Amino acid sequence: MFTSLAGRSVVVTGGSKGIGRGIATVFARAGARVLVTGRDEESLADACAKIGGETSYVIADVSRREDCDRMATTALERHGGIDVLCANAGIFPAARIDAMTADDLTAVMATNLNGTVFAVQACLDALTASGRGRVVVTSSITGPHTGYPGWSHYGASKAAQLGFVRTAALELAPRAITINAVLPGNIATEGLDGLGEDYLTAMAASVPQKRLGGVADIGNAALFFATEEASYITGQTLIVDGGQILPESLQALEEI
Ligand code: NAP
């Protein structure tokens, strides 16, 4: 049994939807006080109602350093500190290399990479004061381990997050802060609903477990990194993908 995280102050960026909402829900159910962020107030309010527990929101765009600073200040005001930062906010617009504009590239990096760095920077002093600070970054299998046409900029941003995590682990170690990354595979979120049943079935077929992951699968992995028992783990990655990256060929997948 892991030590309880009840009462811990947790910030989840991009907590209004999808995986972030799943992470926030897992922490809230563990008794943590959760602050979720996003850019759209209506979805933030809706998420807080659905998550329940001691959950509140602040509107903040992680690509803006001043918004991240305001997010950290809000957590300090409401919770008296920050114990856990889940840097989860991310975007994944598709653009093939031959059509990708400078703005396409900048937008993906601004949220996925800069947003991760800004969120960590903003929470750094509070995480240090916690004495058991934890950062959990939501990366992806796309980039660090796999590729998908149309997502070269996205994959680069997700791999870049891991480069940041590894050196951050060194710099944060003297502050007793750990930083690790969860790498989701294909996770069922409401954002995928619009893609249709055929697409979802095809995605599930590419996973050895023959099903998509749930947002709680990622939340549980993040929760583990936040426990006392995970205090000696830092700079690491945890793939949560139902075995998706393992088959070395289509035949290997078909022969299961
Ligand atoms: P999602 O359903 O689209 O949710 C993204 C969340 O991030 C929303 O709350 C969104 O709210 C917020 N967000 C986006 N840009 C933001 C910004 N600039 N500032 C603050 N918040 C922002 O996406 P998701 O599928 O849950 O993805 C969440 C994370 O998991 C991402 O980092 C993604 O790369 C990663 N991931 C997802 C999957 C998957 O299968 N779903 C797989 C691998 C990795 P607003 O739009 O209202 O701001």
Side-chain angles (χ1 to χ4, degrees):
M1 192 64 180
F2 293 112
T3 308
S4 170
L5 292 178
R8 298 281 168 88
S9 168
V10 179
V11 175
V12 182
T13 71
S16 62
K17 290 179 215 151
I19 288 174
R21 197 171 84 193
I23 293 172
T25 303
V26 167
F27 276 97
R29 288 191 183 151
R33 294 172 294 166
V34 183
L35 178 70
V36 292
T37 77
R39 295 164 299 175
D40 175 55
E41 182 154 28
E42 200 178 324
S43 46
L44 282 164
D46 180 56
C48 286
K50 288 187 171 125
I51 295 166
E54 201 176 323
T55 308
S56 66
Y57 70 84
V58 61
I59 301 166
D61 180 339
V62 292
S63 69
R64 299 164 58 94
R65 174 174 261 146
E66 58 274 25
D67 281 24
C68 289
D69 290 342
R70 190 164 41 75
M71 168 188 85
T73 304
T74 305
L76 281 169
E77 285 167 2
R78 293 186 193 163
H79 303 159
I82 302 172
D83 301 301
V84 182
L85 165 67
C86 296
N88 164 82
I91 56 171
F92 31 89
R96 290 222 176 212
I97 297 165
D98 57 8
M100 190 190 302
T101 65
D103 285 349
D104 291 337
L105 179 60
T106 300
V108 167
M109 288 296 176
T111 292
N112 299 3
L113 178 61
N114 298 9
T116 299
V117 178
F118 291 158
V120 171
Q121 288 179 312
C123 297
L124 197 52
D125 287 346
L127 288 166
T128 307
S130 158
R132 54 191 176 195
R134 298 280 195 275
V135 181
V136 185
V137 173
T138 309
S139 175
S140 177
I141 58 169
T142 309
H145 293 279
T146 64
Y148 201 108
W151 278 327
S152 62
H153 53 346
Y154 172 75
S157 75
K158 295 282 128 179
Q161 285 179 306
L162 300 189
F164 171 73
V165 162
R166 293 190 178 107
T167 290
L170 302 178
E171 293 191 22
L172 304 190
R175 297 169 179 259
I177 301 171
T178 70
I179 177 167
N180 294 288
V182 178
L183 279 55
N186 281 320
I187 306 301
T189 60
E190 59 272 42
L192 295 185
D193 289 347
L195 298 175
E197 199 57 42
D198 288 352
Y199 182 84
L200 296 179
T201 304
M203 275 171 71
S206 71
V207 181
Q209 290 193 359
K210 302 298 175 204
R211 63 186 176 92
L212 302 184
V215 295
D217 291 317
I218 309 306
N220 288 327
L223 189 78
F224 167 67
F225 279 133
T227 60
E228 295 285 336
E229 287 74 10
S231 67
Y232 205 52
I233 303 172
T234 194
Q236 301 305 308
T237 58
L238 181 57
I239 296 169
V240 183
D241 73 343
Q244 186 173 351
I245 68 164
L246 297 176
E248 61 186 41
S249 66
L250 273 178
Q251 193 177 352
L253 189 61
E254 284 160 12
E255 285 188 14
I256 292 173

